[in-house]
């Protein structure tokens, strides 16, 4: 059983920080040995935990997003989605978040399925939507949230367009107002 915190968390954080630091200085193709050296850990530890550079980038990106844009439980679907979207927006305004997203997209080809990490993020969204439904609020699908809110934020970063303050709120409101009657809040 893995303990929260402790050595394992310190290694994870050091490796995540190292990979982002290397990306920021232009080392977009840094191999695991270089990442491990920067993190002050043995490359074997990195290979054992992540297996590949691609999985490391994916884990760093998802871990960062879960930390910077958790999905709150405010008692209102609109407020939950606003809180989450604003966190994603902030992360996409941060140069470190931008470069991590760009590196992740550049690394993952169509044949690769980053399912484990992305599935966890989808489950976070689904839990918020399920809470809303349990409260009696109509809720969109996870796919609708991804299409209407997340994709536009990510595409702005990938195409090097600005993410203006309030974009997340605008996208959430657009999603909720565009749903057929009985589906959105």
């Amino acid at each position: 059983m893995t303990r929260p915190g402790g050595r394992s968390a310190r290694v994870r954080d050091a490796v995540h920080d190292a990979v982002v630091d290397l990306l920021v200085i232009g080392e977009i193709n840094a191999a695991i040995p270089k990442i491990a050296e920067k993190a002050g850990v043995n490359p074997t530890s990195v290979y054992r935990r992540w297996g590949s550079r691609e999985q490391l980038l994916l884990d760093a990106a998802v871990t960062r997003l879960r930390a910077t844009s958790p999905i709150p439980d405010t008692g209102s679907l609109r407020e939950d989605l606003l809180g989450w979207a604003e966190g994603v927006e902030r992360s996409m305004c941060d140069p470190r978040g931008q470069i991590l997203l760009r590196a992740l997209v550049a690394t993952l080809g169509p044949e690769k399925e980053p399912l484990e990490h992305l599935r966890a993020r989808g489950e976070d969204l689904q839990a918020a939507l399920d809470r809303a439904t349990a409260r009696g609020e109509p809720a969109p699908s996870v796919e609708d949230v991804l299409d209407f809110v997340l994709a536009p934020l990510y595409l702005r970063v990938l195409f090097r367009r600005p993410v203006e303050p309030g974009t997340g709120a605008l996208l959430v409101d657009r999603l909720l107002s565009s749903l057929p009657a009985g589906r959105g809040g």
Side-chain angles (χ1 to χ4, degrees), residues 84-135:
W84 166 72
E86 289 166 358
V88 173
E89 178 185 306
R90 277 190 308 277
S91 184
M92 293 299 98
C93 288
D94 177 354
R96 294 171 70 83
Q98 292 174 3
I99 199 154
L100 189 55
L101 176 64
R102 287 185 190 119
L104 177 64
V105 169
T107 301
L108 296 174
E111 72 284 351
K112 299 196 175 127
E113 294 188 52
L115 293 178
E116 283 309 308
H117 299 287
L118 295 180
R119 190 174 314 154
R121 193 62 176 162
E123 289 169 359
D124 293 346
L125 274 173
Q126 188 61 60
L129 299 173
D130 291 345
R131 286 191 305 267
T133 301
R135 291 189 300 262

Side-chain angles (χ1 to χ4, degrees), residues 3 13 19 21-22 27 32-33 35-36 38 41 61 68 70 75 91 94 98 110 116 129 133 150 165-166 171 183:
R3 302 177 310 198
D13 292 346
V19 75
D21 289 346
L22 288 167
E27 297 275 345
I32 285 180
I35 295 166
K38 175 110 176 115
V41 301
T68 60
S91 184
D94 177 354
Q98 292 174 3
E116 283 309 308
L129 299 173
T133 301
L150 193 61
L171 294 169
R183 276 193 70 209

Side-chain angles (χ1 to χ4, degrees), residues 22 26 32 57 63 71 95 100 121 132 135 146 154 156 160:
L22 288 167
I32 285 180
L57 282 171
T63 299
I71 302 168
L100 189 55
R121 193 62 176 162
R135 291 189 300 262
L146 297 176
Y154 281 6
R156 281 185 171 98
R160 299 185 189 279

